[in-house]
Amino acid sequence: DYYESARTAEEFTVARSVYVYFIPRIENEHVESLFQILFGHFQIFNNFDDFKSNILNKTTFSTNQDESTLESIIKKAIKDQYSPQIIDYLTEKTLTLYHMMENNKCIIIYGSFNSGKSTLLDILNESIKSSTNQTEDKNKFFNLPQLKIFESFYLYDTWLRMYGQMSANDEGPIWKSGQIHSFFNNLSKIDKTHHNILRFNGPLSTKFVSFINEIMNSVDSPIMRLNSMDSYFVDNNFHIIIETDSISNLNPSMIMNCALLPMKNLHLD
């Protein structure tokens, strides 16, 4: 048993972590293959069915118990909006987004029209608001962060007005700031008890990808440097979330700095 053997417990923890990482990133028809691969590397239970049952058990770890509570909060928040099948799908993806926010500053949610990619953050936000208004939910999961979402539809305005540009006159070069600079200038005034999210919605043009690469120095750096060369400190409560149809224009640098959350095409009720 994993609770009696340290080695077995370690292998079980690794197997469970690998499952949690890959399950939102693969198609449903590949789930059974994932279990087979894991069991082939971690033969820690009597048989395959016991292994699979323990991996799927959501009460083993305290973090899993918290996840079960959050899962019930999400389902309660959207129960009247979608069919049961869609509710299960959106709940799973919303939980994945929540866990990605624990470890990543930048998250790209991508999928075709009617995939629900623009719905996840709103579902998470509404679920957290709902939990704070319900004493029962608040007591179960009191450490849920509040979200503050700042929208940026970056194709709805000119590049200059959004991201600024260097220009020159008789006195020399002059930097003209854009909306993004105003956001970061005000970031220090924002309540640090919240998760502050800068949400972009639109296609990933080559120019936009280059801009994101510029401000994301590295996945572990607390400093973001804008195209104006101004630097800003951001804590773990700051996130950039990009909702887009395709990631075909991503380069290796951006893939390393951003978590990817794929969405499949579903007809939302």
Side-chain angles (χ1 to χ4, degrees), residues 79-95:
K79 65 179 181 180
D80 297 327
Q81 302 178 40
Y82 306 105
S83 67
Q85 180 183 5
I86 302 300
I87 288 175
D88 289 341
Y89 172 75
L90 291 178
T91 299
E92 175 190 331
K93 292 296 185 178
T94 303
L95 286 171

Side-chain angles (χ1 to χ4, degrees), residues 73-75 77-78 81-82 86-87 90-91 94 97 116 118-129 147 199:
I73 293 173
I74 293 171
K75 287 186 175 182
I78 63 176
Q81 302 178 40
Y82 306 105
I86 302 300
I87 288 175
L90 291 178
T91 299
T94 303
L97 172 61
S118 300
T119 309
L120 299 188
L121 188 59
D122 293 331
I123 290 176
L124 181 59
N125 191 28
E126 290 304 314
S127 298
I128 293 174
K129 287 181 180 179
L147 306 183
R199 174 159 71 175

Side-chain angles (χ1 to χ4, degrees), residues 1-2 19 33 35-36 43 46 48 59 69 77 87 97 99-100 111 131 133-134 141 149 154 207 225 235 249 252 261:
D1 292 333
Y2 65 85
Y19 167 80
S33 297
F35 277 117
Q36 294 285 356
Q43 296 185 16
N46 294 328
F48 174 76
T59 62
T69 301
I87 288 175
L97 172 61
H99 290 307
M100 284 181 170
S131 69
N133 295 328
Q134 300 293 327
F141 208 71
I149 303 172
Y154 50 90
K207 195 172 184 179
R225 183 172 292 110
D235 59 19
N249 284 332
L261 178 53

Side-chain angles (χ1 to χ4, degrees), residues 7-20:
R7 175 59 183 270
T8 303
E10 289 177 359
E11 292 191 9
F12 176 52
T13 302
V14 173
R16 168 71 184 178
S17 298
V18 172
Y19 167 80
V20 170

Side-chain angles (χ1 to χ4, degrees), residues 27-28 85-86 89-90 93 110-117 244-245 261-269:
E27 299 294 336
N28 290 336
Q85 180 183 5
I86 302 300
Y89 172 75
L90 291 178
K93 292 296 185 178
Y110 67 96
S112 59
F113 180 72
N114 272 344
S115 64
K117 63 180 180 293
T244 189
D245 294 339
L261 178 53
M263 303 288 291
K264 59 184 178 183
N265 190 4
L266 290 178
H267 177 69
L268 299 183
D269 294 345

Side-chain angles (χ1 to χ4, degrees), residues 84-178:
Q85 180 183 5
I86 302 300
I87 288 175
D88 289 341
Y89 172 75
L90 291 178
T91 299
E92 175 190 331
K93 292 296 185 178
T94 303
L95 286 171
T96 301
L97 172 61
Y98 173 73
H99 290 307
M100 284 181 170
M101 288 172 59
E102 294 178 313
N103 301 298
N104 300 275
K105 285 189 180 70
C106 177
I107 301 167
I108 301 175
I109 308 173
Y110 67 96
S112 59
F113 180 72
N114 272 344
S115 64
K117 63 180 180 293
S118 300
T119 309
L120 299 188
L121 188 59
D122 293 331
I123 290 176
L124 181 59
N125 191 28
E126 290 304 314
S127 298
I128 293 174
K129 287 181 180 179
S130 174
S131 69
T132 59
N133 295 328
Q134 300 293 327
T135 303
E136 180 182 358
D137 292 336
K138 187 175 182 179
N139 291 337
K140 285 181 180 178
F141 208 71
F142 58 87
N143 60 336
L144 271 175
Q146 293 289 298
L147 306 183
K148 284 188 176 179
I149 303 172
F150 303 86
E151 303 281 356
S152 178
F153 296 93
Y154 50 90
L155 292 183
Y156 288 2
D157 212 331
T158 65
W159 184 267
L160 173 62
R161 290 175 60 87
M162 289 298 300
Y163 304 106
Q165 183 175 298
M166 184 72 72
S167 61
N169 59 19
D170 296 337
E171 299 178 356
I174 297 177
W175 178 261
K176 295 181 179 180
S177 296

